[in-house]
Structures are given as C-alpha cells and as structure tokens.
C-alpha cells in the first residue's frame, strides 16, 4: 500500500479531541530535534547491507525452494508452492534503488495481481506508471525473497568473476546497493544473473520522518508488502516484516509505519496481530467528512522510546 501525498491532504482537518496535539516545542529544541532526526536518516541510508547486523537465524527463508511463474500465465500452469526444485535455492536479498529490470518487472506484476482490483475500486485508482516510479525512487529500499535457478555457490562464483571491476558480491546481499555508474557490459552481467531469479515476496520501504504536526520520529515507512499468490500463508510476509523491524531497530528508527485500505480485512488483521495500531496521523483521527469517509488507515508500531526534551 502506498504512502501518498494524499495522506497529508486528508489530514488537513482538525484533530479529534481524543488525540490532542503535543505542546509546541521551543525553537532550540525543534532545531536540535531536526538535526538529530536528519543524522539518523543519513546514517540509515548510508548502510549498504543492513542484513549484516541481524542474526542469520532471523534471515533464513521459510521455503526451501519454489518457483511460481511470473509471465502472466494462468495459475493452473504454475507449480505448487511446495514443489521442490533440485536445481535452485531460495534466498533473501537486500536491494537499494534501482532494482534490476527483471526484478522490478516481477514486483510490479505481483502488485497488480494482488492489489489491482482493490486500487481500481478505491478513490486513488490504479496507476501502474505511478507505482513504477515509486519503486524506482532514489530512496527506495527492498527486501526480496528470491527463488534462483542457480545454486547460491554458482551465483557467488559469477559475481566474484566480476569482483575486481564491480566491487559486488551477490552473496553479501548488496548487489544493487553497490551498483554505481559503470560499464554497460558489467551492469548487463549483473542484471543477467537476476534474470534467473523469481520474486516470491518483497517489501518496499524507506527511511523517513513522521509528519504529524512536526517531525518527531525517524521512521521506516513501508510502501508495499507483497507475496506471490502461489506462496502465500507460508510465512514469507511475517518473515519480511520481522526483518524490517529488526533492521529498523538497529538503525535507530523509532517507528514502523504503513498505509492500508480499511476494506483489506486480511491485511488489517495481519498488522493488528503484529501489534500495529492506528497512528495519530491517520485520517480517522481528524474531523471532517473527507477524513471520516477516507478508505485507508495509517498504522504504526513503536520500536524505540523517542528522545525526550530535557
């Protein structure tokens, strides 16, 4: 689900009395707070491979292997999620924008399959060009569960063969993080490796400020959490959310936030079970017909106790 500029427009009304605005901070405190938040975000965005900071037990993938088709063919032609693929592995990878073309294409197809009807019936409408631009934003981060037709050792060897010129090691989960402008042939080689991968699930997130009244918290904002229809209810979504929360803690993010349609009962239940609550910035906390009839909520989960004014 998208964090949209429409969110800010919806929150233009007065806040309900049950959620009083915090007292205004003095100018010196506000300046120090902004500098503090900015420093946290700079450090977070500079981290090439946040998976390094979490125990390997948490980053293990719940599936041994699965390779659903992503070419638009009928679900009846896709293999079973539990079908074994002796020639491949299921791996977890972290990416920063830009995504390899094949990976981006699969993510967009998955979004359209899972969410297309819901977006089309919403006030926002379905705009795949906007979604594509959103996923290619310079601040976009991703965790991907990939099924590869190559075994992991082969992927490592292929990456190592280019290591002298690219400084990329795919096994370090930072292939795209390390990608800087380089020879077209080298970039094509990296993209070709990911042509042999199938996206089973992904989460798109960014490190931002919250924007309720004035910035108070550095937050990880989840823009999208999607799992391929053939491997849903196997723990991939839970795994991705757990890892995002662990990464966020290690990078001093105080909250995780996201936007979800009220009509998406399954998603609302999924986040509620993970202790996400309606955030004070959500449209339902503001008066006015536009806010009260809004078709989405902003949910959040506090991870760290925020810095207090001295």
């Amino acid at each position: 689900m998208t964090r949209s500029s429409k969110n800010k427009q919806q929150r233009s009304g007065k806040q309900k009395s049950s959620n009083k605005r915090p007292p205004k901070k003095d100018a010196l405190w506000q300046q120090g707070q902004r500098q503090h938040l900015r420093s946290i975000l700079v450090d977070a965005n500079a981290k090439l491979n946040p998976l390094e900071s979490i125990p390997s037990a948490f980053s293990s993938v719940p599936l041994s292997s699965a390779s659903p088709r992503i070419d638009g063919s009928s679900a009846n032609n896709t293999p079973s999620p539990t079908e074994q693929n002796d020639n491949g592995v299921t791996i977890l990878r972290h990416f920063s924008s830009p995504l390899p073309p094949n990976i981006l294409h699969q993510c967009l197809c998955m979004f359209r399959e899972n969410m297309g009807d819901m977006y089309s019936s919403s006030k926002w409408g379905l705009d795949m060009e906007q979604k594509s631009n959103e996923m290619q934003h310079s601040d976009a981060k991703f965790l991907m569960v990939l099924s590869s037709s190559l075994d992991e050792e082969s992927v490592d060897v292929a990456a190592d063969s280019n290591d002298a010129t690219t400084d990329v090691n795919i096994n370090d989960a930072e292939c795209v993080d390390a990608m800087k402008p380089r020879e077209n042939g080298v970039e094509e080689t990296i993209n070709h490796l990911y042509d042999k991968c199938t996206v089973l699930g992904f989460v798109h997130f960014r490190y931002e400020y919250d924007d309720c009244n004035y910035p108070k918290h550095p937050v990880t904002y989840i823009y999208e959490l999607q799992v391929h229809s053939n491997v849903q209810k196997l723990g991939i979504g839970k795994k991705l959310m757990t890892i995002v929360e662990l990464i966020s803690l290690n990078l001093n993010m105080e909250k995780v936030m996201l936007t979800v349609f009220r009509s998406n009962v399954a998603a609302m239940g999924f986040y509620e079970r993970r202790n996400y609550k309606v955030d004070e910035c959500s449209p339902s906390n503001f008066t006015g017909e536009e806010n009260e009839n809004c078709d989405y909520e902003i949910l959040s989960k506090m991870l760290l106790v925020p810095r207090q004014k001295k």
Side-chain angles (χ1 to χ4, degrees), residues 15-266:
Q15 197 173 24
K16 293 179 181 178
S17 58
S18 58
N19 276 288
K20 295 182 179 180
R21 295 186 179 187
K24 185 177 180 180
K25 310 296 183 183
D26 61 80
L28 184 60
W29 163 253
Q30 289 190 37
Q31 181 180 1
Q33 180 74 349
R34 283 193 295 269
Q35 291 175 347
H36 172 67
L37 297 179
R38 188 159 45 242
S39 174
I40 290 176
L41 295 191
V42 168
D43 291 344
N45 281 299
K47 186 72 172 177
L48 291 180
N49 182 19
L51 290 176
E52 291 177 334
S53 62
I54 66 173
S56 58
F58 285 100
S59 60
S60 62
V61 182
L63 300 177
S64 58
S65 62
S67 299
R69 294 173 63 105
I70 45 75
D71 57 4
S73 51
S74 166
N76 294 330
N77 295 327
T78 57
S80 165
T82 56
E83 180 180 346
Q84 294 298 314
N85 176 6
D86 295 333
N87 297 321
V89 294
T90 302
I91 53 180
L92 178 71
R93 290 290 179 262
H94 175 270
F95 294 85
S96 291
S97 183
L99 289 171
N102 176 52
I103 300 298
L104 174 62
H105 171 72
Q106 292 185 54
C107 290
L108 289 170
C109 288
M110 191 182 303
F111 164 79
R112 183 170 55 193
E113 178 185 355
N114 290 350
M115 300 296 297
D117 290 344
M118 196 166 292
Y119 267 78
S120 295
S121 61
S122 74
K123 296 178 181 178
W124 292 354
L126 179 64
D127 187 337
M128 292 305 298
E129 182 178 358
Q130 181 185 43
K131 179 59 62 175
S132 178
N133 291 337
E134 181 181 287
M135 289 188 182
Q136 296 178 78
H137 191 280
S138 59
D139 292 336
K141 309 289 183 184
F142 300 87
L143 287 179
M144 299 273 178
V145 177
L146 303 172
S147 176
S148 175
S149 60
L150 299 174
D151 60 72
E152 196 156 10
E153 182 178 358
S154 297
V155 175
D156 295 339
V157 170
D160 288 341
S161 67
N162 290 317
D163 210 28
T165 53
T166 66
D167 295 323
V168 171
N169 185 331
I170 292 180
N171 195 42
D172 287 341
E174 59 186 43
C175 174
V176 177
D177 295 290
M179 287 180 66
K180 299 177 181 179
R182 54 169 67 95
E183 298 284 339
N184 287 338
V186 172
E187 186 167 333
E188 288 175 5
T189 300
I190 298 299
N191 290 336
H192 178 68
L193 294 175
Y194 283 108
D195 285 343
K196 300 181 182 296
C197 292
T198 298
V199 180
L200 303 183
F202 73 94
V203 57
H204 163 204
F205 57 99
R206 303 181 201 171
Y207 306 122
E208 303 179 345
Y209 307 129
D210 61 346
D211 58 355
C212 184
N213 304 325
Y214 57 88
K216 295 187 297 183
H217 309 286
V219 305
T220 298
Y221 209 107
I222 295 178
Y223 281 68
E224 210 68 57
L225 173 64
Q226 300 296 337
V227 177
H228 194 284
S229 58
N230 284 356
V231 289
Q232 291 178 2
K233 299 184 179 180
L234 295 178
I236 291 179
K238 293 178 182 178
K239 177 66 68 173
L240 289 171
M241 286 298 297
T242 297
I243 296 172
V244 166
E245 291 170 8
L246 285 171
I247 288 173
S248 300
L249 272 170
N250 288 332
L251 295 177
N252 297 310
M253 297 295 117
E254 293 172 2
K255 294 171 71 175
V256 177
M257 300 179 69
L258 55 95
T259 309
V260 62
F261 284 125
R262 291 175 180 171
S263 61
N264 195 344
V265 178

